[in-house]
PDB file of all heavy atoms in Angstrom:
ATOM      1  N   ALA A 152     -31.977  -2.185  12.908  1.00 89.00           N
ATOM      2  CA  ALA A 152     -32.119  -2.047  11.454  1.00 89.00           C
ATOM      3  C   ALA A 152     -30.740  -2.213  10.835  1.00 89.00           C
ATOM      4  O   ALA A 152     -29.717  -1.869  11.446  1.00 89.00           O
ATOM      5  CB  ALA A 152     -32.702  -0.687  11.085  1.00 89.00           C
ATOM      6  N   VAL A 153     -30.712  -2.747   9.620  1.00 92.00           N
ATOM      7  CA  VAL A 153     -29.443  -2.956   8.930  1.00 92.00           C
ATOM      8  C   VAL A 153     -29.709  -2.964   7.431  1.00 92.00           C
ATOM      9  O   VAL A 153     -30.821  -3.262   6.985  1.00 92.00           O
ATOM     10  CB  VAL A 153     -28.780  -4.283   9.389  1.00 92.00           C
ATOM     11  CG1 VAL A 153     -29.577  -5.478   8.904  1.00 92.00           C
ATOM     12  CG2 VAL A 153     -27.339  -4.372   8.924  1.00 92.00           C
ATOM     13  N   ASP A 154     -28.706  -2.627   6.655  1.00 94.00           N
ATOM     14  CA  ASP A 154     -28.836  -2.607   5.198  1.00 94.00           C
ATOM     15  C   ASP A 154     -29.261  -3.987   4.690  1.00 94.00           C
ATOM     16  O   ASP A 154     -28.764  -5.018   5.171  1.00 94.00           O
ATOM     17  CB  ASP A 154     -27.487  -2.217   4.575  1.00 94.00           C
ATOM     18  CG  ASP A 154     -27.616  -1.879   3.109  1.00 94.00           C
ATOM     19  OD1 ASP A 154     -27.743  -2.810   2.300  1.00 94.00           O
ATOM     20  OD2 ASP A 154     -27.591  -0.681   2.766  1.00 94.00           O
ATOM     21  N   THR A 155     -30.165  -4.009   3.734  1.00 94.00           N
ATOM     22  CA  THR A 155     -30.680  -5.297   3.231  1.00 94.00           C
ATOM     23  C   THR A 155     -29.593  -6.149   2.594  1.00 94.00           C
ATOM     24  O   THR A 155     -29.719  -7.379   2.563  1.00 94.00           O
ATOM     25  CB  THR A 155     -31.802  -5.072   2.204  1.00 94.00           C
ATOM     26  OG1 THR A 155     -31.318  -4.215   1.153  1.00 94.00           O
ATOM     27  CG2 THR A 155     -33.028  -4.452   2.847  1.00 94.00           C
ATOM     28  N   THR A 156     -28.517  -5.524   2.088  1.00 94.00           N
ATOM     29  CA  THR A 156     -27.448  -6.323   1.486  1.00 94.00           C
ATOM     30  C   THR A 156     -26.769  -7.218   2.520  1.00 94.00           C
ATOM     31  O   THR A 156     -26.290  -8.312   2.183  1.00 94.00           O
ATOM     32  CB  THR A 156     -26.389  -5.417   0.827  1.00 94.00           C
ATOM     33  OG1 THR A 156     -25.809  -4.549   1.817  1.00 94.00           O
ATOM     34  CG2 THR A 156     -27.002  -4.581  -0.284  1.00 94.00           C
ATOM     35  N   VAL A 157     -26.730  -6.757   3.772  1.00 96.00           N
ATOM     36  CA  VAL A 157     -26.122  -7.562   4.844  1.00 96.00           C
ATOM     37  C   VAL A 157     -26.984  -8.791   5.116  1.00 96.00           C
ATOM     38  O   VAL A 157     -26.486  -9.923   5.200  1.00 96.00           O
ATOM     39  CB  VAL A 157     -25.952  -6.721   6.125  1.00 96.00           C
ATOM     40  CG1 VAL A 157     -25.336  -7.569   7.238  1.00 96.00           C
ATOM     41  CG2 VAL A 157     -25.100  -5.496   5.846  1.00 96.00           C
ATOM     42  N   HIS A 158     -28.290  -8.571   5.241  1.00 96.00           N
ATOM     43  CA  HIS A 158     -29.198  -9.693   5.431  1.00 96.00           C
ATOM     44  C   HIS A 158     -29.141 -10.641   4.237  1.00 96.00           C
ATOM     45  O   HIS A 158     -29.143 -11.866   4.401  1.00 96.00           O
ATOM     46  CB  HIS A 158     -30.631  -9.187   5.623  1.00 96.00           C
ATOM     47  CG  HIS A 158     -30.990  -8.907   7.044  1.00 96.00           C
ATOM     48  ND1 HIS A 158     -31.523  -7.710   7.463  1.00 96.00           N
ATOM     49  CD2 HIS A 158     -30.879  -9.668   8.160  1.00 96.00           C
ATOM     50  CE1 HIS A 158     -31.736  -7.755   8.768  1.00 96.00           C
ATOM     51  NE2 HIS A 158     -31.350  -8.920   9.221  1.00 96.00           N
ATOM     52  N   ALA A 159     -29.122 -10.081   3.035  1.00 96.00           N
ATOM     53  CA  ALA A 159     -29.132 -10.906   1.822  1.00 96.00           C
ATOM     54  C   ALA A 159     -27.923 -11.840   1.795  1.00 96.00           C
ATOM     55  O   ALA A 159     -28.056 -13.035   1.497  1.00 96.00           O
ATOM     56  CB  ALA A 159     -29.152 -10.024   0.584  1.00 96.00           C
ATOM     57  N   ARG A 160     -26.744 -11.291   2.100  1.00 97.00           N
ATOM     58  CA  ARG A 160     -25.533 -12.121   2.059  1.00 97.00           C
ATOM     59  C   ARG A 160     -25.605 -13.223   3.111  1.00 97.00           C
ATOM     60  O   ARG A 160     -25.237 -14.376   2.853  1.00 97.00           O
ATOM     61  CB  ARG A 160     -24.294 -11.244   2.265  1.00 97.00           C
ATOM     62  CG  ARG A 160     -22.987 -11.980   2.075  1.00 97.00           C
ATOM     63  CD  ARG A 160     -21.846 -11.013   1.770  1.00 97.00           C
ATOM     64  NE  ARG A 160     -22.025 -10.430   0.445  1.00 97.00           N
ATOM     65  CZ  ARG A 160     -22.259  -9.137   0.233  1.00 97.00           C
ATOM     66  NH1 ARG A 160     -22.380  -8.303   1.261  1.00 97.00           N
ATOM     67  NH2 ARG A 160     -22.399  -8.673  -0.991  1.00 97.00           N
ATOM     68  N   PHE A 161     -26.091 -12.891   4.298  1.00 97.00           N
ATOM     69  CA  PHE A 161     -26.204 -13.903   5.354  1.00 97.00           C
ATOM     70  C   PHE A 161     -27.205 -14.998   4.963  1.00 97.00           C
ATOM     71  O   PHE A 161     -26.904 -16.193   5.063  1.00 97.00           O
ATOM     72  CB  PHE A 161     -26.632 -13.262   6.674  1.00 97.00           C
ATOM     73  CG  PHE A 161     -26.996 -14.271   7.729  1.00 97.00           C
ATOM     74  CD1 PHE A 161     -26.016 -14.964   8.414  1.00 97.00           C
ATOM     75  CD2 PHE A 161     -28.343 -14.559   7.999  1.00 97.00           C
ATOM     76  CE1 PHE A 161     -26.350 -15.935   9.375  1.00 97.00           C
ATOM     77  CE2 PHE A 161     -28.680 -15.513   8.949  1.00 97.00           C
ATOM     78  CZ  PHE A 161     -27.680 -16.199   9.632  1.00 97.00           C
ATOM     79  N   TYR A 162     -28.396 -14.606   4.522  1.00 98.00           N
ATOM     80  CA  TYR A 162     -29.418 -15.597   4.181  1.00 98.00           C
ATOM     81  C   TYR A 162     -28.982 -16.477   3.014  1.00 98.00           C
ATOM     82  O   TYR A 162     -29.299 -17.670   2.974  1.00 98.00           O
ATOM     83  CB  TYR A 162     -30.737 -14.902   3.839  1.00 98.00           C
ATOM     84  CG  TYR A 162     -31.445 -14.292   5.017  1.00 98.00           C
ATOM     85  CD1 TYR A 162     -31.992 -13.004   4.950  1.00 98.00           C
ATOM     86  CD2 TYR A 162     -31.575 -14.990   6.219  1.00 98.00           C
ATOM     87  CE1 TYR A 162     -32.647 -12.438   6.030  1.00 98.00           C
ATOM     88  CE2 TYR A 162     -32.221 -14.425   7.311  1.00 98.00           C
ATOM     89  CZ  TYR A 162     -32.753 -13.150   7.211  1.00 98.00           C
ATOM     90  OH  TYR A 162     -33.395 -12.601   8.291  1.00 98.00           O
TER      91      TYR A 162
END
Side-chain angles (χ1 to χ4, degrees):
V153 69
D154 193 284
T155 55
T156 60
V157 179
H158 271 128
R160 187 159 291 115
F161 170 77
Y162 289 135

